[in-house]
Amino acid sequence: VGTLSVPRVDAGVQPLVVAFGGDVHFERHLSVLDVPGKLDPLRELLAADLAIINLETSIGSGGHRERKSYTFRAGISHAKALTAVGVDAVAVANNHFLDYGPRTAMRSLDILKRIGLPAVGAGGDVVRAVTPVILDAGAGRKVALFSVTTGEPFADFNESHWVAGNDTPGLLFWESHRSQLLDAVRSERAAGRHPVVMVHWGDELRACPTELRRRVGRALVDAGAVSVIGSHPHVLGPVENYRGSTIAYSLGNFIWYHRRPAETAALVVRIDSEGKTSYKVRPALIGDDG
């Protein structure tokens, strides 16, 4: 991985710089990370015009624990701690945001919106789940953020009741909502915004992208996405430039309760006025404190 050469940006137009982090939860000993200052080491990693992470936990209280191997929940104070270090939005189409049921997840969306941390990839119906969050970095530079999961992360769990329907809450799934997502990405690109798609996919601890991940990533770029950012494998994966867009297959863990492995990174993507990208990696290690 390294910096890529891209066409020169037009004079006077500043590129848009977006920092991405991988999987985040606040389980076990990480619960103390809502104390002011505890997340300060992340400021430098996420320094950019915009910062986005994969929030892999329910927020708030209520609901019933799903029957699955691992269930994650965090408090409102943890979400506020993320905003305090510069996180602008979170992707939630993953295999943990609905750990306490779809209705509780909808309340989590309301909580996140209320504290100024918009979430994308879930909603009260499929229309709301596919609607992007628009992030404005000023000077006409706007990102349309999408979040989608594939069925791959749900190998040990029947996720059928997590799929957003025409009038039922849930997540955006590639297998169920592919056409709606691709149409929405095309529309945002045509409107002059930079579509970015966070995708939850792959197998745990497998860095090499599966054929499905390659196919999904490139289909999203073909539709107009300027960056496709992957999560779920819990390890760092490869990054490629495809048609001027950046596809990162896995950013690994970012705030996590173990160090297997400890290696992590923030991916910093520069997007020029035409939507062409370059990237750099800010490497880091996950400490004993998460």
Side-chain angles (χ1 to χ4, degrees), residues 64-88:
H64 299 282
R65 186 190 302 266
E66 292 277 352
R67 294 181 178 179
K68 55 200 297 279
S69 300
Y70 298 95
T71 54
F72 301 148
R73 165 175 277 169
I76 299 173
S77 58
H78 296 105
K80 289 180 176 179
L82 292 172
T83 67
V85 294
V87 177
D88 294 288

Side-chain angles (χ1 to χ4, degrees), residues 196-199 201 216-217 220-221 225-230 246-249:
V196 170
V197 187
M198 302 281 282
V199 189
W201 56 12
V216 171
L220 289 165
V221 171
V226 300
S227 292
V228 177
I229 309 297
T246 297
I247 302 176
Y249 285 100

Side-chain angles (χ1 to χ4, degrees), residues 51-169:
I52 302 164
I53 57 96
N54 175 52
L55 184 64
E56 196 147 2
T57 179
S58 177
I59 297 292
S61 59
H64 299 282
R65 186 190 302 266
E66 292 277 352
R67 294 181 178 179
K68 55 200 297 279
S69 300
Y70 298 95
T71 54
F72 301 148
R73 165 175 277 169
I76 299 173
S77 58
H78 296 105
K80 289 180 176 179
L82 292 172
T83 67
V85 294
V87 177
D88 294 288
V90 294
V92 297
N94 56 55
N95 60 317
H96 287 290
F97 188 65
L98 273 69
D99 275 354
Y100 287 82
R103 297 296 176 184
T104 301
M106 298 307 104
R107 291 195 292 272
S108 297
L109 292 178
D110 291 338
I111 290 169
L112 292 167
K113 182 178 180 180
R114 189 167 66 245
I115 68 171
L117 187 61
V120 65
D125 54 44
V126 65
V127 172
R128 282 177 280 186
V130 78
T131 299
V133 165
I134 306 301
L135 301 173
D136 191 344
R141 301 171 303 162
K142 295 181 180 181
V143 161
L145 178 65
F146 296 88
S147 173
V148 66
T149 185
T150 70
E152 288 177 308
F154 295 86
D156 65 341
F157 178 65
N158 181 357
E159 77 283 4
S160 58
H161 66 296
W162 284 28
V163 180
N166 292 332
D167 56 4
T168 54

Side-chain angles (χ1 to χ4, degrees), residues 235-290:
V235 292
L236 294 173
V239 184
E240 72 169 329
N241 180 278
Y242 173 67
R243 299 184 61 187
S245 296
T246 297
I247 302 176
Y249 285 100
S250 176
L251 294 190
N253 298 327
F254 200 60
I255 302 175
W256 208 251
Y257 58 7
H258 63 67
R259 303 172 69 244
R260 305 187 300 273
E263 292 81 9
T264 187
L267 184 75
V268 183
V269 178
R270 292 170 61 90
I271 309 168
D272 73 15
S273 59
E274 297 180 349
K276 300 298 183 183
T277 66
S278 61
Y279 69 89
K280 63 181 178 181
V281 174
R282 293 174 181 161
L285 294 175
I286 297 174
D288 291 333
D289 59 356

